[in-house]
Amino acid sequence: MRTGGIDSSQIQSMIAQLKAHATRPGLTPPVIQTEAPAQPKVDFSDALKTALDGVNASARTAEGLGKQFASGDDSVSLSDVMIAQQKSSINFQAAIQVRNKLVSAYHDIMNMQV
């Protein structure tokens, strides 16, 4: 029987093949994960310290490259120094923005009426 260009016997045979495949021994049904895997707890102070350590490390790297370039080290190019300084500057500005948001949130909480 054909309805609208689709042969129903082909559909039935395909369904039968799928059922036969699903009931084969040795196959395990797929496991559907309903919960996200447990993430390790991150302490805010640890995350903040890690971020600030990263900012400090980028500043030290930029400073070290600048000193090497100024002393005439041929292995350090001016572009490396400038890129390191720009990365350091961007990291520092991001840290300043985070600090400003934290101070603003602190003031908002302190000004709440209880």
Side-chain angles (χ1 to χ4, degrees), residues 10-83:
Q10 287 179 341
I11 294 173
Q12 293 300 328
S13 68
M14 187 172 279
I15 291 173
Q17 287 176 359
L18 288 172
K19 285 181 181 179
H21 182 71
T23 57
R24 279 194 334 206
L27 288 179
T28 58
V31 177
I32 299 173
Q33 187 174 358
T34 58
E35 295 181 9
Q39 297 290 329
K41 299 271 182 181
V42 178
D43 190 24
F44 177 76
S45 62
D46 292 338
L48 187 61
K49 182 176 180 345
T50 302
L52 291 176
D53 287 344
V55 171
N56 188 31
S58 69
R60 287 181 184 263
T61 301
E63 182 181 358
L65 286 175
K67 285 181 180 178
Q68 284 180 327
F69 183 77
S71 67
D73 189 353
D74 291 336
S75 66
V76 179
S77 67
L78 179 60
S79 61
D80 291 340
V81 174
M82 296 304 293
I83 289 171

Side-chain angles (χ1 to χ4, degrees), residues 62-110:
E63 182 181 358
L65 286 175
K67 285 181 180 178
Q68 284 180 327
F69 183 77
S71 67
D73 189 353
D74 291 336
S75 66
V76 179
S77 67
L78 179 60
S79 61
D80 291 340
V81 174
M82 296 304 293
I83 289 171
Q85 287 179 345
Q86 286 300 313
K87 284 182 181 179
S88 174
S89 175
I90 290 170
N91 286 337
F92 184 71
Q93 290 300 320
I96 294 293
Q97 293 298 320
V98 169
R99 185 217 45 179
N100 290 344
K101 291 289 184 180
L102 287 172
V103 169
S104 175
Y106 175 78
H107 284 296
D108 290 345
I109 290 171
M110 294 308 292

